[in-house]
Amino acid sequence: MSSLWDELIHELGTVRALSAAAVEARTETSRVALITLLDAEAAEISAILDQILQEAQQTSVA
């Protein structure tokens, strides 16, 4: 499960970087592209959290 936590930390760092870039974007096109990437990263974070929860539930049952 620690690899999932590592992956989650990486994704959160990516979100932070993309958010900062979106704030500083000079054009609307760039901002929209960065927000689209943020949306994809949010979906990845959600999937990782689901995996962490699933593994935690399996561990507590065992």
Side-chain angles (χ1 to χ4, degrees):
M1 181 166 354
S2 73
S3 66
L4 286 174
W5 285 106
D6 292 342
E7 202 175 325
L8 180 62
I9 290 167
H10 172 77
E11 294 300 330
L12 291 171
T14 301
V15 165
R16 189 172 181 187
L18 287 171
S19 297
V23 168
E24 299 295 325
R26 295 180 186 253
T27 67
E28 188 67 21
T29 302
S30 295
R31 193 172 294 112
V32 168
L34 289 163
I35 290 170
T36 300
L37 290 172
L38 278 167
D39 188 48
E41 291 297 321
E44 287 185 41
I45 288 170
S46 180
I48 292 167
L49 290 172
D50 285 344
Q51 285 181 291
I52 290 171
L53 179 62
Q54 186 178 35
E55 285 189 18
Q57 289 172 338
Q58 289 173 353
T59 302
S60 68
V61 170

Coordinates of all heavy atoms in Angstrom, one line a residue:
M1 N 0.8 -1.2 0.0 CA 0.0 0.0 0.0 C 0.9 1.3 0.0 O 0.4 2.3 -0.4 CB -1.0 0.0 1.2 CG -1.8 1.2 1.2 SD -3.3 1.4 2.2 CE -3.6 0.0 3.0
S2 N 2.1 1.2 0.5 CA 2.9 2.3 0.5 C 3.2 2.9 -0.9 O 3.3 4.1 -1.1 CB 4.3 2.1 1.2 OG 5.1 1.3 0.4
S3 N 3.2 2.0 -1.9 CA 3.4 2.6 -3.3 C 2.2 3.4 -3.7 O 2.4 4.4 -4.4 CB 3.6 1.4 -4.2 OG 2.5 0.6 -4.4
L4 N 1.0 3.0 -3.2 CA -0.2 3.9 -3.5 C -0.1 5.2 -2.8 O -0.4 6.3 -3.5 CB -1.4 3.2 -3.0 CG -1.9 2.0 -3.9 CD1 -3.1 1.3 -3.2 CD2 -2.3 2.4 -5.3
W5 N 0.5 5.3 -1.6 CA 0.6 6.6 -0.9 C 1.7 7.4 -1.7 O 1.5 8.6 -1.8 CB 1.0 6.3 0.5 CG -0.1 5.9 1.4 CD1 -0.4 4.7 1.8 CD2 -1.2 6.7 1.8 NE1 -1.5 4.7 2.6 CE2 -2.1 5.9 2.5 CE3 -1.6 8.1 1.6 CZ2 -3.3 6.4 3.1 CZ3 -2.8 8.5 2.2 CH2 -3.6 7.7 2.9
D6 N 2.7 6.7 -2.2 CA 3.8 7.5 -2.9 C 3.2 8.0 -4.2 O 3.4 9.2 -4.6 CB 4.9 6.5 -3.3 CG 5.7 6.1 -2.1 OD1 5.7 6.8 -1.0 OD2 6.5 5.1 -2.2
E7 N 2.3 7.2 -4.9 CA 1.7 7.7 -6.1 C 0.7 8.9 -5.8 O 0.7 9.8 -6.5 CB 0.9 6.5 -6.7 CG 0.6 6.6 -8.1 CD -0.1 5.3 -8.6 OE1 0.2 4.2 -8.2 OE2 -1.0 5.5 -9.5
L8 N 0.0 8.8 -4.7 CA -0.9 9.8 -4.3 C -0.1 11.1 -4.0 O -0.5 12.2 -4.5 CB -1.7 9.4 -3.0 CG -2.7 10.5 -2.5 CD1 -3.8 10.8 -3.5 CD2 -3.3 10.0 -1.2
I9 N 1.0 11.0 -3.3 CA 1.8 12.2 -3.0 C 2.3 12.8 -4.3 O 2.3 14.1 -4.5 CB 2.9 11.9 -2.1 CG1 2.4 11.6 -0.7 CG2 4.0 13.0 -2.0 CD1 3.3 10.9 0.3
H10 N 2.7 12.0 -5.3 CA 3.2 12.5 -6.6 C 2.1 13.2 -7.3 O 2.3 14.3 -7.8 CB 3.7 11.3 -7.4 CG 4.0 11.7 -8.8 ND1 5.1 12.4 -9.2 CD2 3.3 11.5 -9.9 CE1 5.1 12.6 -10.5 NE2 4.0 12.1 -11.0
E11 N 0.9 12.6 -7.3 CA -0.3 13.2 -8.0 C -0.6 14.6 -7.4 O -1.0 15.5 -8.1 CB -1.5 12.3 -8.0 CG -1.3 11.0 -8.8 CD -1.0 11.3 -10.3 OE1 -1.4 12.3 -10.9 OE2 -0.3 10.5 -10.9
L12 N -0.6 14.6 -6.0 CA -0.9 15.9 -5.4 C 0.1 17.0 -5.7 O -0.3 18.1 -5.9 CB -1.0 15.7 -3.9 CG -2.2 14.8 -3.4 CD1 -2.1 14.5 -1.9 CD2 -3.5 15.5 -3.7
G13 N 1.4 16.6 -5.8 CA 2.4 17.5 -6.2 C 2.1 18.0 -7.7 O 2.3 19.2 -8.0
T14 N 1.7 17.1 -8.5 CA 1.4 17.5 -9.9 C 0.2 18.5 -9.9 O 0.2 19.5 -10.7 CB 1.0 16.3 -10.7 OG1 2.2 15.4 -10.7 CG2 0.7 16.6 -12.2
V15 N -0.8 18.2 -9.1 CA -1.9 19.1 -9.0 C -1.5 20.5 -8.6 O -1.9 21.5 -9.1 CB -3.1 18.6 -8.1 CG1 -4.1 19.6 -7.8 CG2 -3.7 17.4 -8.8
R16 N -0.6 20.5 -7.6 CA -0.2 21.8 -7.1 C 0.6 22.6 -8.2 O 0.4 23.8 -8.3 CB 0.8 21.6 -5.9 CG 1.1 22.8 -5.2 CD 1.9 22.4 -3.9 NE 2.2 23.6 -3.2 CZ 3.0 23.7 -2.1 NH1 3.4 22.5 -1.6 NH2 3.3 24.8 -1.6
A17 N 1.4 21.9 -8.9 CA 2.2 22.6 -10.0 C 1.3 23.0 -11.1 O 1.4 24.2 -11.6 CB 3.3 21.6 -10.5
L18 N 0.3 22.2 -11.5 CA -0.6 22.6 -12.5 C -1.5 23.8 -12.1 O -1.8 24.7 -12.9 CB -1.5 21.4 -12.9 CG -0.8 20.3 -13.8 CD1 -1.8 19.1 -13.9 CD2 -0.4 20.8 -15.1
S19 N -1.9 23.8 -10.9 CA -2.7 24.9 -10.3 C -1.9 26.2 -10.4 O -2.5 27.2 -10.8 CB -3.1 24.6 -8.9 OG -3.9 23.5 -8.8
A20 N -0.7 26.1 -10.0 CA 0.2 27.3 -10.0 C 0.4 27.8 -11.5 O 0.3 29.0 -11.7 CB 1.5 27.1 -9.4
A21 N 0.6 26.9 -12.4 CA 0.7 27.2 -13.8 C -0.5 27.8 -14.3 O -0.5 28.8 -15.1 CB 1.2 26.0 -14.6
A22 N -1.7 27.3 -14.0 CA -3.0 27.8 -14.5 C -3.2 29.2 -14.0 O -3.7 30.1 -14.7 CB -4.1 26.9 -14.0
V23 N -2.8 29.5 -12.7 CA -3.0 30.9 -12.2 C -2.1 31.9 -13.0 O -2.5 33.0 -13.3 CB -2.6 30.9 -10.7 CG1 -2.5 32.3 -10.2 CG2 -3.7 30.1 -9.9
E24 N -0.9 31.4 -13.4 CA 0.0 32.3 -14.1 C -0.1 32.2 -15.6 O 0.6 33.0 -16.3 CB 1.5 31.9 -13.7 CG 1.8 32.0 -12.2 CD 1.7 33.4 -11.8 OE1 2.1 34.3 -12.5 OE2 1.3 33.6 -10.6
A25 N -1.0 31.4 -16.1 CA -1.2 31.3 -17.6 C -1.5 32.6 -18.2 O -2.3 33.4 -17.7 CB -2.3 30.3 -17.9
R26 N -0.8 32.9 -19.3 CA -1.0 34.2 -20.0 C -2.2 34.2 -21.0 O -2.7 35.3 -21.3 CB 0.3 34.5 -20.8 CG 1.5 34.8 -19.8 CD 2.7 35.1 -20.6 NE 3.9 35.2 -19.7 CZ 4.4 36.3 -19.4 NH1 3.9 37.5 -19.8 NH2 5.5 36.3 -18.6
T27 N -2.6 33.0 -21.4 CA -3.7 33.0 -22.4 C -4.8 32.1 -21.8 O -4.6 31.2 -21.0 CB -3.3 32.5 -23.7 OG1 -2.9 31.1 -23.6 CG2 -2.1 33.3 -24.3
E28 N -6.0 32.4 -22.3 CA -7.2 31.6 -21.9 C -7.0 30.1 -22.4 O -7.3 29.2 -21.7 CB -8.4 32.2 -22.5 CG -9.7 31.6 -22.0 CD -10.0 31.8 -20.5 OE1 -9.4 32.7 -19.9 OE2 -10.7 31.0 -20.0
T29 N -6.4 30.0 -23.6 CA -6.2 28.6 -24.2 C -5.3 27.8 -23.2 O -5.6 26.7 -23.0 CB -5.6 28.7 -25.6 OG1 -6.5 29.5 -26.4 CG2 -5.4 27.4 -26.2
S30 N -4.2 28.4 -22.8 CA -3.3 27.8 -21.9 C -4.0 27.4 -20.6 O -3.8 26.3 -20.0 CB -2.1 28.6 -21.6 OG -1.3 28.8 -22.7
R31 N -4.8 28.3 -20.1 CA -5.5 28.1 -18.8 C -6.4 27.0 -18.9 O -6.5 26.1 -18.1 CB -6.2 29.4 -18.4 CG -6.7 29.4 -17.0 CD -7.3 30.8 -16.5 NE -6.2 31.7 -16.5 CZ -6.1 32.8 -17.3 NH1 -6.9 33.0 -18.2 NH2 -5.1 33.6 -17.2
V32 N -7.2 26.9 -20.0 CA -8.1 25.8 -20.2 C -7.4 24.5 -20.4 O -7.9 23.5 -19.8 CB -9.0 26.1 -21.5 CG1 -9.8 24.9 -21.9 CG2 -9.9 27.3 -21.2
A33 N -6.3 24.5 -21.1 CA -5.5 23.2 -21.2 C -5.0 22.8 -19.8 O -5.1 21.5 -19.5 CB -4.3 23.5 -22.1
L34 N -4.5 23.7 -19.0 CA -4.1 23.3 -17.7 C -5.2 22.8 -16.8 O -5.1 21.8 -16.0 CB -3.3 24.5 -17.1 CG -2.0 24.8 -17.7 CD1 -1.5 26.1 -17.3 CD2 -0.9 23.7 -17.3
I35 N -6.3 23.4 -16.9 CA -7.5 23.0 -16.1 C -8.0 21.6 -16.6 O -8.4 20.8 -15.7 CB -8.6 24.1 -16.2 CG1 -8.2 25.3 -15.4 CG2 -9.9 23.5 -15.6 CD1 -9.1 26.5 -15.6
T36 N -7.9 21.4 -17.8 CA -8.2 20.0 -18.4 C -7.3 19.0 -17.8 O -7.7 17.9 -17.4 CB -8.2 20.0 -19.9 OG1 -9.1 21.0 -20.4 CG2 -8.5 18.7 -20.5
L37 N -6.0 19.3 -17.7 CA -5.0 18.4 -17.1 C -5.3 18.2 -15.6 O -5.2 17.1 -15.1 CB -3.6 18.9 -17.3 CG -3.1 18.9 -18.7 CD1 -1.7 19.6 -18.8 CD2 -2.9 17.4 -19.2
L38 N -5.7 19.3 -14.9 CA -6.1 19.2 -13.5 C -7.3 18.3 -13.3 O -7.3 17.5 -12.4 CB -6.5 20.6 -13.0 CG -5.3 21.5 -12.5 CD1 -5.8 22.9 -12.3 CD2 -4.7 20.9 -11.3
D39 N -8.2 18.3 -14.2 CA -9.4 17.4 -14.1 C -8.9 16.0 -14.3 O -9.4 15.1 -13.5 CB -10.4 17.8 -15.2 CG -11.7 17.0 -15.1 OD1 -12.2 17.0 -14.0 OD2 -12.2 16.5 -16.1
A40 N -8.0 15.7 -15.2 CA -7.5 14.3 -15.3 C -6.7 13.9 -14.1 O -6.9 12.7 -13.6 CB -6.6 14.3 -16.6
E41 N -6.0 14.8 -13.5 CA -5.2 14.4 -12.3 C -6.2 14.2 -11.1 O -5.9 13.3 -10.3 CB -4.2 15.6 -11.9 CG -3.1 15.7 -12.9 CD -2.2 14.5 -13.0 OE1 -1.9 13.9 -11.9 OE2 -1.7 14.2 -14.1
A42 N -7.2 14.9 -11.1 CA -8.2 14.7 -10.0 C -8.9 13.3 -10.1 O -9.1 12.7 -9.1 CB -9.3 15.8 -10.0
A43 N -9.1 12.9 -11.4 CA -9.7 11.6 -11.6 C -8.7 10.5 -11.2 O -9.1 9.5 -10.5 CB -10.0 11.4 -13.1
E44 N -7.4 10.7 -11.4 CA -6.4 9.8 -11.0 C -6.3 9.7 -9.5 O -6.2 8.6 -8.9 CB -5.0 10.2 -11.6 CG -4.9 9.9 -13.1 CD -3.5 10.2 -13.6 OE1 -2.5 9.8 -12.9 OE2 -3.4 10.7 -14.7
I45 N -6.4 10.9 -8.8 CA -6.3 10.9 -7.4 C -7.5 10.2 -6.8 O -7.4 9.4 -5.8 CB -6.3 12.4 -6.9 CG1 -4.9 13.0 -7.1 CG2 -6.6 12.5 -5.4 CD1 -4.8 14.4 -6.9
S46 N -8.7 10.3 -7.4 CA -9.9 9.6 -6.9 C -9.7 8.1 -7.0 O -10.0 7.4 -6.1 CB -11.1 10.1 -7.7 OG -12.2 9.5 -7.3
A47 N -9.1 7.7 -8.2 CA -8.9 6.3 -8.4 C -7.9 5.7 -7.3 O -8.1 4.6 -6.8 CB -8.4 6.0 -9.8
I48 N -6.9 6.5 -7.1 CA -5.9 6.0 -6.1 C -6.5 5.9 -4.7 O -6.3 5.0 -4.0 CB -4.7 7.0 -6.0 CG1 -3.9 6.9 -7.4 CG2 -3.7 6.7 -4.9 CD1 -2.9 8.0 -7.6
L49 N -7.3 6.9 -4.3 CA -8.0 6.9 -3.0 C -8.9 5.7 -2.9 O -9.0 5.1 -1.9 CB -8.7 8.2 -2.8 CG -7.8 9.4 -2.5 CD1 -8.7 10.7 -2.5 CD2 -7.1 9.2 -1.2
D50 N -9.6 5.4 -4.0 CA -10.5 4.2 -4.0 C -9.7 2.9 -3.8 O -10.1 2.1 -3.0 CB -11.2 4.1 -5.4 CG -12.4 5.1 -5.5 OD1 -12.8 5.7 -4.5 OD2 -12.8 5.3 -6.7
Q51 N -8.5 2.8 -4.4 CA -7.6 1.7 -4.2 C -7.2 1.6 -2.8 O -7.1 0.5 -2.2 CB -6.4 1.7 -5.1 CG -6.7 1.4 -6.6 CD -5.5 1.5 -7.4 OE1 -4.9 2.6 -7.6 NE2 -5.0 0.3 -7.9
I52 N -6.8 2.7 -2.2 CA -6.3 2.7 -0.8 C -7.4 2.3 0.1 O -7.2 1.5 1.0 CB -5.8 4.2 -0.4 CG1 -4.5 4.4 -1.1 CG2 -5.6 4.3 1.1 CD1 -4.0 5.9 -1.0
L53 N -8.6 2.8 -0.1 CA -9.8 2.4 0.7 C -10.1 0.9 0.6 O -10.3 0.2 1.6 CB -11.0 3.2 0.3 CG -12.3 2.9 1.0 CD1 -12.1 3.2 2.5 CD2 -13.4 3.8 0.5
Q54 N -10.0 0.4 -0.7 CA -10.3 -1.0 -0.9 C -9.3 -1.9 -0.2 O -9.6 -2.8 0.5 CB -10.3 -1.3 -2.4 CG -10.7 -2.7 -2.8 CD -10.7 -2.9 -4.3 OE1 -9.9 -2.3 -5.0 NE2 -11.7 -3.7 -4.7
E55 N -8.0 -1.5 -0.3 CA -7.0 -2.3 0.4 C -7.1 -2.2 1.9 O -6.9 -3.2 2.6 CB -5.6 -1.8 0.0 CG -5.2 -2.2 -1.4 CD -3.8 -2.0 -1.8 OE1 -2.9 -1.7 -0.8 OE2 -3.4 -2.0 -3.0
A56 N -7.5 -1.0 2.4 CA -7.7 -0.9 3.9 C -8.8 -1.8 4.3 O -8.8 -2.4 5.4 CB -7.9 0.6 4.2
Q57 N -9.9 -1.8 3.5 CA -11.1 -2.7 3.9 C -10.7 -4.1 3.9 O -11.1 -4.9 4.7 CB -12.2 -2.4 3.0 CG -12.9 -1.0 3.2 CD -13.9 -0.7 2.2 OE1 -13.9 -1.2 1.1 NE2 -14.8 0.2 2.5
Q58 N -9.9 -4.5 2.9 CA -9.5 -5.9 2.8 C -8.6 -6.3 3.9 O -8.7 -7.4 4.5 CB -8.7 -6.2 1.5 CG -9.6 -6.2 0.3 CD -8.9 -6.2 -1.1 OE1 -7.7 -6.2 -1.1 NE2 -9.6 -6.3 -2.2
T59 N -7.7 -5.4 4.3 CA -6.8 -5.6 5.5 C -7.6 -5.8 6.8 O -7.3 -6.6 7.6 CB -5.8 -4.5 5.6 OG1 -5.1 -4.4 4.4 CG2 -4.8 -4.7 6.7
S60 N -8.6 -4.9 6.9 CA -9.4 -5.0 8.2 C -10.3 -6.2 8.3 O -10.6 -6.7 9.4 CB -10.3 -3.7 8.4 OG -11.3 -3.7 7.4
V61 N -10.7 -6.8 7.1 CA -11.5 -8.0 7.1 C -10.6 -9.2 7.4 O -11.0 -10.2 8.1 CB -12.2 -8.2 5.8 CG1 -12.8 -9.5 5.6 CG2 -13.2 -7.1 5.6
A62 N -9.4 -9.2 7.0 CA -8.4 -10.3 7.1 C -7.9 -10.4 8.5 O -8.2 -10.5 9.5 CB -7.2 -10.1 6.2

